[in-house]
Amino acid sequence: MEIKKESRLGVYKRILEKEGRSIVKQRYRGVEYYKGPDLAKGYMLEKAKEVYKELKIDHVIENINEALELYNIIKYVKDDTFLLYIGEDKEEWLKEKNNVANSSLGEYINQHSDILVEYEEVDFRYKESFWEIIGNRKMSDISESRLKVFLDKLDVFAWQIFKQYKLVRKYDTELREYMFIYIEESTNLLLDKYLLKNMNEQEKPYLPQSLTIEDKEYIINAYLNLDNPNLNYTRLLSNVQNTKEFSLDVRVKLKAKRVSERLESELFKSGSGQGTDIVVEFKENVEGIVKQHFTLSKVGTEVDKEWLESNLDNPTLLNNFIYIFEFVNNNMVSNFPYNAIYASVFERFGFTHKKEYKINAAFSLRESLSLAQMHVYYTFLRGKNKDLETIIEWFFNVYLKEEFYIVDFNVKLPPIDNPSFEKCKSIFPTIESIIKKYKFYLEDGYIEEELVQMESKPSPFSECPSMTNDRYVYIAPDNNEARVLRNIMFSDQSDITYFPNYGHSQYNTLIERLYADKLYLHDIEDYQKPSLNWLVEHDYVTVKDDNEIVLVNRNRTLIYYYIHINGVVVTSKLSDSLKQEVDKLLDEGALVAENTLLTRQESEYIDYYLNKSKFINGYDLRNKYLHGTASGHDNENEHYVNYLQALKLLITIMIKINDDLCTAELEGS
């Protein structure tokens, strides 16, 4: 027998009755206005239609939220979205209802000379609309002193005010003083204004004109004095690129850097939480030669030591980076670059600078694991009298000549026994020269050392060509259909992933369910129907006679899904039917092809480590060693880690060159 639990509404009602109060039914449904394409629009418009159905002449608005809901619905009418939704045959009906809505809204607003007293009752979803109405209709009724009294009494920061240009200009002095009271929230505004990525530039906040650059630095400095500032924020602040509108003294940046280091060290203190062990072991009797671990408690690689010791030829030792350490996936695309699909919901919608390379927990763990793999493998090879540098030189100087008839690559890595500092000084120019030599080989059919040396300008990694045609394909920038498809079918945040009738038998995404299980029309909730209708209209699913929802146009869906997972599709690795679909999408302009050695993501990852021209949080390793700004010779551990990172990048480029040449050979390019 199950004990029935009292609902939260029931508990709330009982408490109010005990206090001699009653529940007043709020006469609004929560309609919100969404500008531009949005999957929730259909759901909101359906609710808006129900609201307008109930509107009668001489309608009287009972509360501020009902007024704000009508204000949001009127926006849908103004941009014709509402009419498109209900059909042009309902134009007169909509006009009549909208007149009622406008009239009742105007009457309600005019009756409230001091509308600020209504603020405490405003639903959170309507806070921004509240300040919009004040900016458009009530600003003349509110004096500067009245707003100051209002703000002083608030116990939460009203950030929505800063979305309204007119309000920020009129109440300039009051809002400047307000920002000094709420240091943490004001820092959010400054970062949102100047540093953080934003889907829509119009969403950027407005700031008081009287807020000087010194005021902004004061707020940031005060923020860094807080006990627990946001680690993401402090990292951003330590890398700020100064502009006329926002700049920080180098002392403040250093303070941000040290605060970041303190917060990072606290994250990894023993006893502060469950950590993740990173383990790379070469040991006896590993089942299947190699065993990978990637869990919350353990990330690592176990390799059968006997197998390693029995396979010490150069090709196998290099192939181990592919098949043992998994530097690349099955399509020979690097596993190292940041990939949003491995980010948590909070990480995905976290804070990043416009020019910051995005990282997350999974990315950091993968980086730590790869460096551990490099260290253990590098040490193991030295113990077997096999130097990794010599093996890499063999690939460029011998293997490419014997297998592909490419002569004069002439790669020379730093001497094995040199200090790590000295090795770092020479390896980064070597990496750059490899890219130049491969580029010249593809353009001229041969490599001329003197020509490479005369080319003093750095060669961007993203511009190194490929020997194969249409090597990589990506979603075209204006392909809105692919974006909507991703949000509905591939995203774990889609509104069409959870189905109550299936209980615990749920899947993370819609595409997983449609591929692995059955789904029927009667399982679709009302709020999910707009998404389903879009999929049907665009020929991605169909509803069979028995009401089962099934995939159609599978090849196109798969292409888009592969790009969603990896950020790119390698055309040479596709089946013939999928290649044909790629050709169709290219002809339609839905995809774009690029003939480059590296994917966009791989190029960005290498740039992240080698320079700061693209990402302000980059390691800038190339320039640090080239211009003498790296740590001193005595910091051997730091230079050793940087050298391993350089070797890792070099090996990745080596794998890409080999795959490009092998692919071209197979295709007869």
Side-chain angles (χ1 to χ4, degrees):
M1 174 180 175
E2 184 179 353
I3 300 175
K4 293 183 179 179
K5 296 181 180 179
E6 188 173 12
S7 69
R8 276 188 289 179
L9 179 61
V11 173
Y12 182 49
K13 182 177 179 182
R14 185 162 43 80
I15 292 172
L16 292 180
E17 289 172 348
K18 186 177 181 181
E19 293 178 355
R21 293 183 285 163
S22 61
I23 296 178
V24 178
K25 184 179 180 181
Q26 296 282 324
R27 198 170 64 181
Y28 67 99
R29 288 179 169 81
V31 177
E32 296 176 75
Y33 176 75
Y34 294 113
K35 186 177 181 180
D38 194 290
L39 296 178
K41 256 189 178 178
Y43 179 54
M44 289 298 168
L45 288 167
E46 186 61 32
K47 292 202 294 184
K49 186 169 69 172
E50 295 303 315
V51 172
Y52 265 30
K53 278 182 181 178
E54 296 175 2
L55 282 183
K56 308 261 192 250
I57 297 176
D58 298 327
H59 176 78
V60 177
I61 295 174
E62 295 181 351
N63 59 72
I64 184 65
N65 290 309
E66 185 187 347
L68 292 170
E69 179 176 62
L70 288 179
Y71 176 75
N72 276 263
I73 296 174
I74 290 168
K75 283 186 175 184
Y76 281 125
V77 178
K78 284 182 177 178
D79 69 8
D80 291 330
T81 305
F82 205 159
L83 182 60
L84 288 172
Y85 181 75
I86 61 174
E88 292 188 4
D89 59 318
K90 295 284 197 339
E91 184 175 4
E92 283 302 316
W93 176 86
L94 182 60
K95 185 177 179 181
E96 291 174 8
K97 294 294 184 179
N98 204 53
N99 287 338
V100 174
N102 266 311
S103 176
S104 57
L105 177 62
E107 186 176 346
Y108 183 88
I109 292 173
N110 292 334
Q111 286 175 349
H112 292 76
S113 57
D114 188 3
I115 200 169
L116 291 178
V117 298
E118 302 281 305
Y119 186 76
E120 287 189 6
E121 303 300 321
V122 176
D123 190 308
F124 180 80
R125 77 190 84 182
Y126 291 142
K127 297 286 189 186
E128 195 168 334
S129 296
F130 177 84
W131 291 109
E132 276 184 33
I133 285 180
I134 290 180
N136 293 330
R137 304 194 189 191
K138 300 294 289 182
M139 197 163 61
S140 60
D141 294 342
I142 302 171
S143 67
E144 287 84 348
S145 59
R146 172 66 183 108
L147 184 73
K148 186 177 188 312
V149 170
F150 168 78
L151 293 176
D152 288 343
K153 290 183 178 180
L154 276 185
D155 56 0
V156 293
F157 186 71
W159 58 266
Q160 296 90 346
I161 299 177
F162 295 89
K163 294 285 188 179
Q164 307 305 317
Y165 176 81
K166 294 178 183 178
L167 297 182
V168 175
R169 290 296 169 263
K170 178 176 181 179
Y171 305 108
D172 183 286
T173 303
E174 292 72 27
L175 291 176
R176 174 181 176 270
E177 294 174 359
Y178 185 53
M179 289 181 70
F180 290 135
I181 298 171
Y182 289 90
I183 292 296
E184 186 171 1
E185 292 81 0
S186 297
T187 298
N188 291 347
L189 286 178
L190 292 174
L191 294 178
D192 191 29
K193 176 74 173 179
Y194 299 116
L195 300 181
L196 301 181
K197 289 181 180 178
N198 203 302
M199 294 293 288
N200 184 349
E201 288 299 319
Q202 293 179 350
E203 294 177 359
K204 292 290 186 184
Y206 300 99
L207 297 177
Q209 287 183 318
S210 61
L211 191 73
T212 66
I213 201 162
E214 290 79 17
D215 291 338
K216 297 167 189 174
E217 185 175 85
Y218 171 83
I219 290 170
I220 296 301
N221 197 50
Y223 177 74
L224 294 172
N225 288 330
L226 298 177
D227 291 336
N228 292 297
N230 186 306
L231 177 57
N232 291 319
Y233 284 0
T234 61
R235 284 171 174 162
L236 283 177
L237 293 168
S238 67
N239 287 300
V240 164
Q241 290 182 323
N242 291 344
T243 64
K244 290 181 180 179
E245 292 184 312
F246 184 78
S247 68
L248 298 177
D249 184 85
V250 67
R251 296 169 184 82
V252 179
K253 294 180 186 179
L254 178 60
K255 184 176 182 179
K257 180 176 181 291
R258 288 174 175 168
V259 171
S260 299
E261 291 169 350
R262 171 178 65 80
L263 294 172
E264 287 168 353
S265 65
E266 289 175 356
L267 279 176
F268 296 102
K269 279 181 180 176
S270 58
S272 63
Q274 184 177 0
T276 303
D277 292 330
I278 297 174
V279 180
V280 178
E281 293 181 293
F282 300 163
K283 61 184 189 179
E284 309 293 337
N285 302 319
V286 175
E287 185 179 352
I289 300 175
V290 61
K291 190 174 183 180
Q292 305 287 1
H293 302 276
F294 210 92
T295 66
L296 288 174
S297 59
K298 185 177 182 180
V299 170
T301 305
E302 295 177 5
V303 189
D304 189 282
K305 187 176 181 181
E306 183 179 350
W307 184 88
L308 281 176
E309 292 174 337
S310 302
N311 295 273
L312 294 174
D313 58 284
N314 286 349
T316 300
L317 292 177
L318 291 179
N319 279 329
N320 286 341
F321 288 106
I322 300 173
Y323 304 109
I324 298 293
F325 302 121
E326 298 182 351
F327 277 26
V328 293
N329 62 22
N330 292 336
N331 293 324
M332 296 299 151
V333 172
S334 174
N335 283 318
F336 297 135
Y338 169 81
N339 191 329
I341 67 167
Y342 298 119
S344 68
V345 174
F346 296 109
E347 289 173 328
R348 238 171 282 169
F349 299 100
F351 307 104
T352 56
H353 187 283
K354 297 172 184 176
K355 290 184 66 178
E356 184 182 27
Y357 189 82
K358 197 165 184 179
I359 62 176
N360 58 16
F363 174 85
S364 298
L365 282 174
R366 189 72 183 84
E367 288 299 280
S368 298
L369 172 60
S370 64
L371 285 175
Q373 290 170 334
M374 285 295 303
H375 167 65
V376 174
Y377 195 46
Y378 190 79
T379 305
F380 167 80
L381 292 175
R382 290 295 300 270
K384 301 299 176 185
N385 295 317
K386 301 283 286 188
D387 298 313
L388 185 55
E389 292 89 345
T390 304
I391 300 170
I392 294 173
E393 289 175 353
W394 167 86
F395 171 84
F396 288 103
N397 301 337
V398 179
Y399 172 79
L400 292 185
K401 181 179 179 180
E402 294 179 350
E403 290 293 322
F404 303 105
Y405 310 105
I406 303 175
V407 297
D408 298 326
F409 229 102
N410 296 332
V411 170
K412 181 64 179 174
L413 292 180
I416 309 299
D417 296 324
N418 270 14
S420 295
F421 178 84
E422 297 297 332
K423 289 198 279 190
C424 284
K425 285 178 66 177
S426 62
I427 193 170
F428 293 110
T430 299
I431 293 174
E432 198 167 274
S433 74
I434 289 171
I435 291 294
K436 288 181 181 178
K437 288 176 180 178
Y438 192 66
K439 181 173 181 287
F440 278 126
Y441 171 72
L442 294 187
E443 291 174 349
D444 302 335
Y446 59 91
I447 299 170
E448 189 170 336
E449 187 67 37
E450 191 173 358
L451 185 63
V452 175
Q453 292 173 0
M454 288 182 67
E455 179 60 89
S456 58
K457 186 177 68 174
S459 181
F461 292 94
S462 60
E463 294 180 9
C464 183
S466 164
M467 187 175 277
T468 56
N469 296 322
D470 295 344
R471 181 168 171 80
Y472 303 121
V473 291
Y474 307 88
I475 301 294
D478 58 351
N479 188 342
N480 290 324
E481 181 176 312
R483 181 184 58 80
V484 176
L485 178 68
R486 178 198 66 201
N487 292 340
I488 296 176
M489 192 173 281
F490 308 151
S491 172
D492 57 5
Q493 298 302 301
S494 168
D495 65 352
I496 190 166
T497 55
Y498 179 74
F499 307 100
N501 291 347
Y502 287 87
H504 295 297
S505 180
Q506 302 291 340
Y507 294 83
N508 290 327
T509 62
L510 177 61
I511 192 171
E512 290 178 53
R513 172 165 288 283
L514 294 178
Y515 259 97
D517 211 333
K518 291 184 179 294
L519 182 68
Y520 291 90
L521 189 59
H522 61 261
D523 296 314
I524 302 298
E525 303 289 316
D526 286 344
Y527 73 91
Q528 296 172 326
K529 287 179 180 177
S531 294
L532 177 64
N533 292 340
W534 186 94
L535 292 174
V536 172
E537 289 167 7
H538 289 80
D539 296 322
Y540 287 103
V541 301
T542 189
V543 181
K544 295 167 61 179
D545 292 341
D546 63 354
N547 285 334
E548 183 184 358
I549 301 166
V550 295
L551 282 167
V552 292
N553 211 346
R554 286 172 176 257
N555 286 343
R556 180 160 298 205
T557 303
L558 275 177
I559 293 297
Y560 283 144
Y561 183 60
Y562 291 157
I563 297 177
H564 169 70
I565 295 296
N566 298 310
V568 65
V569 158
V570 186
T571 55
S572 62
K573 314 297 182 184
L574 298 174
S575 65
D576 289 342
S577 61
L578 289 177
K579 285 179 182 177
Q580 291 172 7
E581 189 63 38
V582 165
D583 290 338
K584 291 179 187 176
L585 288 165
L586 287 171
D587 290 340
E588 294 169 12
L591 298 179
V592 292
E594 294 180 1
N595 300 328
T596 55
L597 175 68
L598 304 171
T599 68
R600 295 174 182 176
Q601 296 83 358
E602 290 166 342
S603 296
E604 289 182 346
Y605 175 79
I606 294 175
D607 284 335
Y608 167 60
Y609 273 103
L610 295 194
N611 59 71
K612 275 195 173 182
S613 61
K614 191 163 187 178
F615 303 109
I616 64 166
N617 61 332
Y619 283 85
D620 203 26
L621 294 180
R622 174 191 176 276
N623 294 326
K624 281 182 178 178
Y625 287 99
L626 186 65
H627 301 300
T629 57
S631 301
H633 291 70
D634 55 341
N635 198 342
E636 172 63 19
N637 184 62
E638 178 183 338
H639 300 309
Y640 174 66
V641 171
N642 289 342
Y643 182 61
L644 290 181
Q645 184 66 54
L647 284 174
K648 191 178 86 173
L649 298 178
L650 177 50
I651 290 164
T652 301
I653 292 170
M654 181 188 68
I655 293 171
K656 299 295 295 187
I657 289 175
N658 185 62
D659 179 59
D660 192 41
L661 293 169
C662 290
T663 302
E665 190 174 65
L666 285 172
E667 295 183 349
S669 301

